[in-house]
Amino acid sequence: MRKNLFDLGPALGYFFRKNDPSRPSNFNLRTMHFINKLSISMFLVALVVLLYRWFIR
């Protein structure tokens, strides 16, 4: 179980997956996915900034 703790494959796959034509798509679903991607991106940027401040400064 511990070796799967830092497995980023599913998270990265969320950003780079192709559109599946068999899945339904509507405005609400596209908006939800956009907001999820935006929040994950903002979290990663903030994490990088915090690590930079902690280790470099």
Side-chain angles (χ1 to χ4, degrees):
M1 174 146 180
R2 285 185 176 242
K3 65 181 176 180
N4 293 334
L5 185 62
F6 294 105
D7 184 19
L8 297 178
L12 292 176
Y14 183 75
F15 281 99
F16 301 113
R17 67 180 175 193
K18 304 279 187 218
N19 288 337
D20 187 4
S22 65
R23 288 185 179 181
S25 178
N26 59 22
F27 176 76
N28 292 332
L29 190 61
R30 284 180 290 171
T31 304
M32 180 196 67
H33 284 294
F34 172 75
I35 292 171
N36 285 345
K37 289 178 184 180
L38 182 64
S39 64
I40 291 170
S41 300
M42 290 174 64
F43 172 76
L44 291 176
V45 167
L47 186 64
V48 167
V49 169
L50 286 174
L51 289 174
Y52 171 77
R53 287 182 179 178
W54 195 36
F55 286 115
I56 304 300
R57 288 187 177 180

Short mmCIF file of all heavy atoms in Angstrom, two decimals:
data_model
loop_
_atom_site.label_atom_id
_atom_site.label_comp_id
_atom_site.label_asym_id
_atom_site.label_seq_id
_atom_site.Cartn_x
_atom_site.Cartn_y
_atom_site.Cartn_z
N MET A 1 0.83 -1.19 0.00
CA MET A 1 0.00 0.00 0.00
C MET A 1 0.87 1.26 0.00
O MET A 1 0.51 2.23 -0.62
CB MET A 1 -0.91 -0.01 1.21
CG MET A 1 -1.69 1.25 1.34
SD MET A 1 -3.28 0.90 2.00
CE MET A 1 -3.94 2.51 2.04
N ARG A 2 1.98 1.24 0.67
CA ARG A 2 2.82 2.43 0.75
C ARG A 2 3.44 2.80 -0.59
O ARG A 2 3.67 3.96 -0.85
CB ARG A 2 3.92 2.24 1.78
CG ARG A 2 3.42 2.33 3.17
CD ARG A 2 4.58 2.26 4.14
NE ARG A 2 4.06 2.45 5.47
CZ ARG A 2 4.42 3.46 6.23
NH1 ARG A 2 5.29 4.32 5.83
NH2 ARG A 2 3.91 3.59 7.43
N LYS A 3 3.71 1.82 -1.44
CA LYS A 3 4.33 2.15 -2.72
C LYS A 3 3.35 2.88 -3.64
O LYS A 3 3.77 3.55 -4.57
CB LYS A 3 4.90 0.91 -3.40
CG LYS A 3 3.86 -0.11 -3.80
CD LYS A 3 4.53 -1.29 -4.43
CE LYS A 3 3.51 -2.37 -4.75
NZ LYS A 3 4.13 -3.52 -5.35
N ASN A 4 2.07 2.78 -3.39
CA ASN A 4 1.07 3.49 -4.19
C ASN A 4 0.75 4.87 -3.64
O ASN A 4 -0.07 5.58 -4.20
CB ASN A 4 -0.22 2.67 -4.28
CG ASN A 4 -0.01 1.41 -5.07
OD1 ASN A 4 0.86 1.34 -5.93
ND2 ASN A 4 -0.81 0.40 -4.78
N LEU A 5 1.39 5.24 -2.54
CA LEU A 5 1.08 6.50 -1.88
C LEU A 5 1.40 7.70 -2.77
O LEU A 5 0.62 8.65 -2.84
CB LEU A 5 1.85 6.59 -0.57
CG LEU A 5 1.53 7.80 0.32
CD1 LEU A 5 0.07 7.76 0.75
CD2 LEU A 5 2.43 7.80 1.53
N PHE A 6 2.52 7.67 -3.46
CA PHE A 6 2.93 8.79 -4.30
C PHE A 6 2.79 8.48 -5.78
O PHE A 6 3.53 9.01 -6.60
CB PHE A 6 4.37 9.21 -3.97
CG PHE A 6 4.50 9.77 -2.59
CD1 PHE A 6 5.08 9.04 -1.58
CD2 PHE A 6 4.03 11.04 -2.31
CE1 PHE A 6 5.20 9.56 -0.30
CE2 PHE A 6 4.14 11.57 -1.04
CZ PHE A 6 4.72 10.83 -0.04
N ASP A 7 1.85 7.64 -6.13
CA ASP A 7 1.61 7.30 -7.53
C ASP A 7 0.81 8.42 -8.18
O ASP A 7 -0.37 8.63 -7.88
CB ASP A 7 0.84 5.98 -7.62
CG ASP A 7 0.65 5.52 -9.04
OD1 ASP A 7 1.40 6.01 -9.92
OD2 ASP A 7 -0.24 4.69 -9.27
N LEU A 8 1.45 9.20 -9.05
CA LEU A 8 0.80 10.35 -9.68
C LEU A 8 0.22 10.02 -11.05
O LEU A 8 -0.25 10.92 -11.73
CB LEU A 8 1.81 11.49 -9.81
CG LEU A 8 2.36 12.03 -8.49
CD1 LEU A 8 3.38 13.11 -8.75
CD2 LEU A 8 1.25 12.54 -7.60
N GLY A 9 0.25 8.77 -11.45
CA GLY A 9 -0.26 8.37 -12.75
C GLY A 9 -1.71 8.77 -12.99
O GLY A 9 -2.04 9.39 -14.00
N PRO A 10 -2.63 8.45 -12.07
CA PRO A 10 -4.02 8.83 -12.29
C PRO A 10 -4.23 10.35 -12.33
O PRO A 10 -5.04 10.85 -13.11
CB PRO A 10 -4.75 8.22 -11.10
CG PRO A 10 -3.90 7.09 -10.67
CD PRO A 10 -2.49 7.53 -10.93
N ALA A 11 -3.48 11.09 -11.52
CA ALA A 11 -3.63 12.55 -11.52
C ALA A 11 -3.13 13.14 -12.82
O ALA A 11 -3.75 14.05 -13.39
CB ALA A 11 -2.89 13.16 -10.34
N LEU A 12 -1.99 12.67 -13.31
CA LEU A 12 -1.47 13.17 -14.58
C LEU A 12 -2.34 12.71 -15.75
O LEU A 12 -2.51 13.43 -16.71
CB LEU A 12 -0.02 12.72 -14.77
CG LEU A 12 0.98 13.35 -13.82
CD1 LEU A 12 2.35 12.75 -14.03
CD2 LEU A 12 1.01 14.84 -13.96
N GLY A 13 -2.89 11.51 -15.64
CA GLY A 13 -3.79 11.02 -16.67
C GLY A 13 -5.06 11.86 -16.78
O GLY A 13 -5.66 11.98 -17.84
N TYR A 14 -5.47 12.45 -15.68
CA TYR A 14 -6.65 13.31 -15.68
C TYR A 14 -6.43 14.53 -16.56
O TYR A 14 -7.34 15.01 -17.22
CB TYR A 14 -6.96 13.75 -14.24
CG TYR A 14 -8.20 14.59 -14.11
CD1 TYR A 14 -9.45 14.02 -14.20
CD2 TYR A 14 -8.11 15.95 -13.88
CE1 TYR A 14 -10.59 14.79 -14.08
CE2 TYR A 14 -9.24 16.73 -13.74
CZ TYR A 14 -10.47 16.14 -13.84
OH TYR A 14 -11.59 16.91 -13.73
N PHE A 15 -5.20 15.06 -16.59
CA PHE A 15 -4.90 16.23 -17.39
C PHE A 15 -4.72 15.91 -18.87
O PHE A 15 -5.04 16.71 -19.72
CB PHE A 15 -3.62 16.92 -16.89
CG PHE A 15 -3.84 17.76 -15.68
CD1 PHE A 15 -3.55 17.29 -14.42
CD2 PHE A 15 -4.36 19.04 -15.81
CE1 PHE A 15 -3.76 18.07 -13.31
CE2 PHE A 15 -4.58 19.83 -14.71
CZ PHE A 15 -4.27 19.33 -13.45
N PHE A 16 -4.19 14.74 -19.18
CA PHE A 16 -3.77 14.46 -20.54
C PHE A 16 -4.57 13.37 -21.24
O PHE A 16 -4.14 12.84 -22.25
CB PHE A 16 -2.28 14.07 -20.55
CG PHE A 16 -1.40 15.15 -20.00
CD1 PHE A 16 -0.71 14.97 -18.81
CD2 PHE A 16 -1.28 16.36 -20.66
CE1 PHE A 16 0.10 15.97 -18.30
CE2 PHE A 16 -0.48 17.37 -20.16
CZ PHE A 16 0.21 17.17 -18.98
N ARG A 17 -5.74 13.03 -20.71
CA ARG A 17 -6.53 11.99 -21.36
C ARG A 17 -7.28 12.56 -22.57
O ARG A 17 -7.59 13.75 -22.64
CB ARG A 17 -7.48 11.35 -20.38
CG ARG A 17 -8.56 12.26 -19.88
CD ARG A 17 -9.45 11.55 -18.90
NE ARG A 17 -10.41 12.49 -18.35
CZ ARG A 17 -11.15 12.24 -17.31
NH1 ARG A 17 -11.04 11.10 -16.70
NH2 ARG A 17 -11.99 13.14 -16.86
N LYS A 18 -7.61 11.69 -23.48
CA LYS A 18 -8.36 12.08 -24.68
C LYS A 18 -9.85 12.07 -24.38
O LYS A 18 -10.32 11.44 -23.43
CB LYS A 18 -8.08 11.08 -25.81
CG LYS A 18 -6.62 10.93 -26.16
CD LYS A 18 -6.18 12.05 -27.03
CE LYS A 18 -4.77 11.76 -27.51
NZ LYS A 18 -3.95 12.89 -27.59
N ASN A 19 -10.60 12.76 -25.21
CA ASN A 19 -12.05 12.76 -25.06
C ASN A 19 -12.61 11.41 -25.47
O ASN A 19 -12.27 10.88 -26.52
CB ASN A 19 -12.68 13.86 -25.90
CG ASN A 19 -12.42 15.24 -25.33
OD1 ASN A 19 -12.15 15.37 -24.14
ND2 ASN A 19 -12.50 16.24 -26.18
N ASP A 20 -13.48 10.87 -24.63
CA ASP A 20 -14.11 9.59 -24.92
C ASP A 20 -15.49 9.86 -25.49
O ASP A 20 -16.35 10.43 -24.81
CB ASP A 20 -14.21 8.78 -23.63
CG ASP A 20 -14.70 7.37 -23.86
OD1 ASP A 20 -14.89 6.98 -25.03
OD2 ASP A 20 -14.88 6.64 -22.86
N PRO A 21 -15.75 9.48 -26.74
CA PRO A 21 -17.06 9.78 -27.35
C PRO A 21 -18.22 9.04 -26.70
O PRO A 21 -19.37 9.45 -26.83
CB PRO A 21 -16.88 9.37 -28.80
CG PRO A 21 -15.70 8.48 -28.83
CD PRO A 21 -14.84 8.82 -27.66
N SER A 22 -17.95 7.96 -25.98
CA SER A 22 -19.04 7.22 -25.35
C SER A 22 -19.50 7.87 -24.04
O SER A 22 -20.56 7.54 -23.54
CB SER A 22 -18.61 5.78 -25.07
OG SER A 22 -17.57 5.76 -24.12
N ARG A 23 -18.72 8.81 -23.51
CA ARG A 23 -19.12 9.51 -22.28
C ARG A 23 -20.00 10.70 -22.63
O ARG A 23 -19.74 11.41 -23.60
CB ARG A 23 -17.90 10.02 -21.53
CG ARG A 23 -17.10 8.95 -20.87
CD ARG A 23 -16.01 9.56 -20.06
NE ARG A 23 -15.23 8.52 -19.40
CZ ARG A 23 -14.23 8.76 -18.61
NH1 ARG A 23 -13.85 9.99 -18.38
NH2 ARG A 23 -13.57 7.77 -18.05
N PRO A 24 -21.03 10.93 -21.83
CA PRO A 24 -21.87 12.10 -22.09
C PRO A 24 -21.11 13.39 -21.75
O PRO A 24 -20.27 13.41 -20.86
CB PRO A 24 -23.06 11.91 -21.16
CG PRO A 24 -22.55 11.03 -20.07
CD PRO A 24 -21.51 10.15 -20.70
N SER A 25 -21.42 14.44 -22.47
CA SER A 25 -20.76 15.73 -22.22
C SER A 25 -21.81 16.83 -22.24
O SER A 25 -22.62 16.90 -23.17
CB SER A 25 -19.71 16.00 -23.29
OG SER A 25 -19.12 17.25 -23.07
N ASN A 26 -21.81 17.64 -21.23
CA ASN A 26 -22.69 18.81 -21.20
C ASN A 26 -21.93 19.95 -20.54
O ASN A 26 -20.79 19.80 -20.09
CB ASN A 26 -24.01 18.50 -20.50
CG ASN A 26 -23.82 18.04 -19.08
OD1 ASN A 26 -22.80 18.29 -18.46
ND2 ASN A 26 -24.81 17.35 -18.55
N PHE A 27 -22.54 21.10 -20.47
CA PHE A 27 -21.88 22.29 -19.94
C PHE A 27 -21.45 22.09 -18.49
O PHE A 27 -20.35 22.46 -18.11
CB PHE A 27 -22.81 23.50 -20.07
CG PHE A 27 -22.23 24.74 -19.46
CD1 PHE A 27 -21.23 25.43 -20.11
CD2 PHE A 27 -22.67 25.19 -18.23
CE1 PHE A 27 -20.67 26.57 -19.54
CE2 PHE A 27 -22.13 26.33 -17.66
CZ PHE A 27 -21.12 27.02 -18.32
N ASN A 28 -22.31 21.51 -17.67
CA ASN A 28 -22.00 21.33 -16.25
C ASN A 28 -20.79 20.42 -16.06
O ASN A 28 -19.93 20.69 -15.22
CB ASN A 28 -23.20 20.77 -15.50
CG ASN A 28 -24.34 21.74 -15.44
OD1 ASN A 28 -24.12 22.95 -15.47
ND2 ASN A 28 -25.55 21.22 -15.37
N LEU A 29 -20.74 19.36 -16.82
CA LEU A 29 -19.63 18.42 -16.69
C LEU A 29 -18.32 19.04 -17.16
O LEU A 29 -17.29 18.89 -16.50
CB LEU A 29 -19.94 17.15 -17.51
CG LEU A 29 -19.03 15.97 -17.32
CD1 LEU A 29 -19.06 15.51 -15.87
CD2 LEU A 29 -19.44 14.84 -18.24
N ARG A 30 -18.35 19.75 -18.28
CA ARG A 30 -17.14 20.42 -18.76
C ARG A 30 -16.67 21.48 -17.78
O ARG A 30 -15.46 21.64 -17.54
CB ARG A 30 -17.38 21.03 -20.14
CG ARG A 30 -17.41 19.98 -21.24
CD ARG A 30 -17.65 20.64 -22.55
NE ARG A 30 -19.05 21.11 -22.51
CZ ARG A 30 -19.63 21.89 -23.38
NH1 ARG A 30 -18.95 22.35 -24.39
NH2 ARG A 30 -20.88 22.25 -23.27
N THR A 31 -17.60 22.23 -17.20
CA THR A 31 -17.25 23.26 -16.22
C THR A 31 -16.64 22.63 -14.97
O THR A 31 -15.65 23.14 -14.44
CB THR A 31 -18.50 24.08 -15.85
OG1 THR A 31 -19.06 24.62 -17.04
CG2 THR A 31 -18.15 25.19 -14.89
N MET A 32 -17.21 21.53 -14.52
CA MET A 32 -16.68 20.84 -13.35
C MET A 32 -15.25 20.38 -13.60
O MET A 32 -14.37 20.57 -12.75
CB MET A 32 -17.55 19.65 -12.99
CG MET A 32 -17.05 18.89 -11.78
SD MET A 32 -17.75 17.24 -11.60
CE MET A 32 -17.04 16.42 -13.01
N HIS A 33 -14.99 19.79 -14.76
CA HIS A 33 -13.64 19.32 -15.07
C HIS A 33 -12.67 20.50 -15.19
O HIS A 33 -11.51 20.39 -14.76
CB HIS A 33 -13.64 18.49 -16.35
CG HIS A 33 -14.19 17.12 -16.14
ND1 HIS A 33 -13.57 16.17 -15.36
CD2 HIS A 33 -15.31 16.52 -16.62
CE1 HIS A 33 -14.28 15.06 -15.37
NE2 HIS A 33 -15.34 15.25 -16.12
N PHE A 34 -13.11 21.60 -15.76
CA PHE A 34 -12.24 22.78 -15.85
C PHE A 34 -11.87 23.30 -14.47
O PHE A 34 -10.71 23.60 -14.19
CB PHE A 34 -12.92 23.88 -16.67
CG PHE A 34 -12.16 25.17 -16.65
CD1 PHE A 34 -11.00 25.31 -17.39
CD2 PHE A 34 -12.58 26.22 -15.86
CE1 PHE A 34 -10.28 26.49 -17.36
CE2 PHE A 34 -11.87 27.41 -15.82
CZ PHE A 34 -10.72 27.54 -16.57
N ILE A 35 -12.84 23.38 -13.57
CA ILE A 35 -12.59 23.87 -12.23
C ILE A 35 -11.67 22.91 -11.47
O ILE A 35 -10.77 23.33 -10.74
CB ILE A 35 -13.92 24.10 -11.48
CG1 ILE A 35 -14.66 25.27 -12.11
CG2 ILE A 35 -13.69 24.34 -9.99
CD1 ILE A 35 -16.06 25.47 -11.59
N ASN A 36 -11.86 21.61 -11.67
CA ASN A 36 -10.98 20.63 -11.03
C ASN A 36 -9.54 20.79 -11.51
O ASN A 36 -8.60 20.79 -10.71
CB ASN A 36 -11.45 19.21 -11.31
CG ASN A 36 -12.65 18.83 -10.50
OD1 ASN A 36 -12.99 19.49 -9.53
ND2 ASN A 36 -13.32 17.77 -10.91
N LYS A 37 -9.35 20.93 -12.82
CA LYS A 37 -8.00 21.09 -13.37
C LYS A 37 -7.38 22.40 -12.89
O LYS A 37 -6.19 22.44 -12.56
CB LYS A 37 -8.04 21.06 -14.89
CG LYS A 37 -8.35 19.68 -15.43
CD LYS A 37 -8.44 19.68 -16.94
CE LYS A 37 -8.83 18.32 -17.45
NZ LYS A 37 -8.93 18.28 -18.90
N LEU A 38 -8.15 23.45 -12.82
CA LEU A 38 -7.66 24.74 -12.35
C LEU A 38 -7.23 24.66 -10.88
O LEU A 38 -6.16 25.15 -10.50
CB LEU A 38 -8.72 25.81 -12.54
CG LEU A 38 -8.36 27.22 -12.14
CD1 LEU A 38 -7.22 27.73 -13.03
CD2 LEU A 38 -9.57 28.12 -12.26
N SER A 39 -8.03 24.02 -10.05
CA SER A 39 -7.70 23.93 -8.63
C SER A 39 -6.48 23.05 -8.40
O SER A 39 -5.63 23.37 -7.55
CB SER A 39 -8.89 23.43 -7.82
OG SER A 39 -9.22 22.12 -8.20
N ILE A 40 -6.34 21.96 -9.14
CA ILE A 40 -5.15 21.12 -9.01
C ILE A 40 -3.92 21.89 -9.45
O ILE A 40 -2.86 21.83 -8.80
CB ILE A 40 -5.33 19.81 -9.81
CG1 ILE A 40 -6.38 18.93 -9.17
CG2 ILE A 40 -4.00 19.05 -9.91
CD1 ILE A 40 -6.79 17.74 -10.01
N SER A 41 -4.03 22.64 -10.53
CA SER A 41 -2.90 23.43 -11.02
C SER A 41 -2.50 24.50 -10.01
O SER A 41 -1.30 24.70 -9.75
CB SER A 41 -3.25 24.10 -12.35
OG SER A 41 -3.58 23.15 -13.31
N MET A 42 -3.47 25.19 -9.43
CA MET A 42 -3.17 26.22 -8.44
C MET A 42 -2.51 25.60 -7.21
O MET A 42 -1.58 26.19 -6.64
CB MET A 42 -4.44 26.97 -8.05
CG MET A 42 -4.98 27.84 -9.15
SD MET A 42 -6.56 28.59 -8.76
CE MET A 42 -6.13 29.61 -7.38
N PHE A 43 -2.97 24.44 -6.79
CA PHE A 43 -2.36 23.76 -5.65
C PHE A 43 -0.91 23.40 -5.94
O PHE A 43 -0.03 23.61 -5.10
CB PHE A 43 -3.16 22.50 -5.31
CG PHE A 43 -2.49 21.64 -4.28
CD1 PHE A 43 -2.50 22.00 -2.94
CD2 PHE A 43 -1.83 20.48 -4.65
CE1 PHE A 43 -1.86 21.21 -1.99
CE2 PHE A 43 -1.19 19.70 -3.72
CZ PHE A 43 -1.21 20.06 -2.38
N LEU A 44 -0.64 22.88 -7.14
CA LEU A 44 0.73 22.50 -7.48
C LEU A 44 1.65 23.71 -7.56
O LEU A 44 2.80 23.65 -7.12
CB LEU A 44 0.74 21.71 -8.78
CG LEU A 44 0.11 20.32 -8.71
CD1 LEU A 44 0.10 19.68 -10.08
CD2 LEU A 44 0.84 19.45 -7.70
N VAL A 45 1.16 24.82 -8.09
CA VAL A 45 1.96 26.04 -8.14
C VAL A 45 2.26 26.53 -6.73
O VAL A 45 3.40 26.90 -6.41
CB VAL A 45 1.25 27.13 -8.99
CG1 VAL A 45 1.91 28.48 -8.81
CG2 VAL A 45 1.24 26.72 -10.45
N ALA A 46 1.26 26.53 -5.87
CA ALA A 46 1.47 26.96 -4.49
C ALA A 46 2.45 26.04 -3.77
O ALA A 46 3.28 26.50 -2.98
CB ALA A 46 0.14 27.01 -3.75
N LEU A 47 2.37 24.75 -4.04
CA LEU A 47 3.29 23.81 -3.43
C LEU A 47 4.73 24.07 -3.87
O LEU A 47 5.66 24.04 -3.06
CB LEU A 47 2.87 22.38 -3.78
CG LEU A 47 3.64 21.25 -3.11
CD1 LEU A 47 3.43 21.30 -1.60
CD2 LEU A 47 3.20 19.92 -3.67
N VAL A 48 4.92 24.35 -5.15
CA VAL A 48 6.25 24.67 -5.66
C VAL A 48 6.78 25.95 -5.02
O VAL A 48 7.95 26.02 -4.62
CB VAL A 48 6.23 24.78 -7.20
CG1 VAL A 48 7.51 25.40 -7.73
CG2 VAL A 48 6.00 23.42 -7.83
N VAL A 49 5.93 26.96 -4.89
CA VAL A 49 6.35 28.21 -4.25
C VAL A 49 6.74 27.97 -2.80
O VAL A 49 7.76 28.48 -2.32
CB VAL A 49 5.23 29.28 -4.36
CG1 VAL A 49 5.53 30.47 -3.48
CG2 VAL A 49 5.04 29.69 -5.81
N LEU A 50 5.95 27.20 -2.07
CA LEU A 50 6.28 26.91 -0.68
C LEU A 50 7.58 26.12 -0.56
O LEU A 50 8.40 26.41 0.31
CB LEU A 50 5.14 26.14 -0.02
CG LEU A 50 3.90 26.95 0.31
CD1 LEU A 50 2.79 26.04 0.84
CD2 LEU A 50 4.22 28.03 1.31
N LEU A 51 7.77 25.15 -1.41
CA LEU A 51 9.02 24.38 -1.38
C LEU A 51 10.20 25.27 -1.73
O LEU A 51 11.27 25.16 -1.13
CB LEU A 51 8.93 23.19 -2.33
CG LEU A 51 8.01 22.06 -1.88
CD1 LEU A 51 7.89 21.01 -2.98
CD2 LEU A 51 8.49 21.45 -0.59
N TYR A 52 10.04 26.16 -2.68
CA TYR A 52 11.10 27.10 -3.05
C TYR A 52 11.46 27.99 -1.85
O TYR A 52 12.63 28.15 -1.54
CB TYR A 52 10.65 27.95 -4.24
CG TYR A 52 11.60 29.09 -4.54
CD1 TYR A 52 12.80 28.85 -5.20
CD2 TYR A 52 11.30 30.38 -4.16
CE1 TYR A 52 13.67 29.88 -5.47
CE2 TYR A 52 12.16 31.43 -4.42
CZ TYR A 52 13.35 31.18 -5.09
OH TYR A 52 14.21 32.21 -5.35
N ARG A 53 10.45 28.52 -1.22
CA ARG A 53 10.71 29.41 -0.06
C ARG A 53 11.35 28.64 1.09
O ARG A 53 12.17 29.18 1.83
CB ARG A 53 9.41 30.04 0.42
CG ARG A 53 8.89 31.09 -0.50
CD ARG A 53 7.63 31.70 0.05
NE ARG A 53 7.12 32.74 -0.82
CZ ARG A 53 6.01 33.39 -0.60
NH1 ARG A 53 5.28 33.15 0.48
NH2 ARG A 53 5.61 34.33 -1.45
N TRP A 54 10.97 27.39 1.26
CA TRP A 54 11.47 26.61 2.39
C TRP A 54 12.91 26.16 2.17
O TRP A 54 13.72 26.21 3.08
CB TRP A 54 10.55 25.42 2.60
CG TRP A 54 10.75 24.74 3.93
CD1 TRP A 54 11.04 25.34 5.11
CD2 TRP A 54 10.63 23.36 4.19
NE1 TRP A 54 11.12 24.39 6.09
CE2 TRP A 54 10.86 23.16 5.56
CE3 TRP A 54 10.33 22.26 3.39
CZ2 TRP A 54 10.83 21.91 6.15
CZ3 TRP A 54 10.28 21.02 3.99
CH2 TRP A 54 10.54 20.85 5.35
N PHE A 55 13.23 25.71 0.96
CA PHE A 55 14.54 25.14 0.70
C PHE A 55 15.56 26.17 0.18
O PHE A 55 16.74 26.07 0.50
CB PHE A 55 14.46 23.99 -0.29
CG PHE A 55 13.88 22.75 0.30
CD1 PHE A 55 12.68 22.23 -0.15
CD2 PHE A 55 14.52 22.09 1.34
CE1 PHE A 55 12.15 21.08 0.39
CE2 PHE A 55 14.00 20.94 1.90
CZ PHE A 55 12.81 20.43 1.42
N ILE A 56 15.16 27.10 -0.62
CA ILE A 56 16.09 28.02 -1.26
C ILE A 56 16.40 29.21 -0.37
O ILE A 56 17.55 29.63 -0.26
CB ILE A 56 15.56 28.49 -2.64
CG1 ILE A 56 15.25 27.29 -3.54
CG2 ILE A 56 16.53 29.44 -3.30
CD1 ILE A 56 16.44 26.40 -3.84
N ARG A 57 15.42 29.78 0.25
CA ARG A 57 15.64 30.98 1.07
C ARG A 57 16.20 30.65 2.41
O ARG A 57 16.09 29.85 3.13
CB ARG A 57 14.35 31.77 1.23
CG ARG A 57 13.96 32.45 -0.03
CD ARG A 57 12.80 33.34 0.24
NE ARG A 57 12.46 34.06 -0.98
CZ ARG A 57 11.49 34.92 -1.05
NH1 ARG A 57 10.75 35.18 -0.01
NH2 ARG A 57 11.22 35.54 -2.16
#
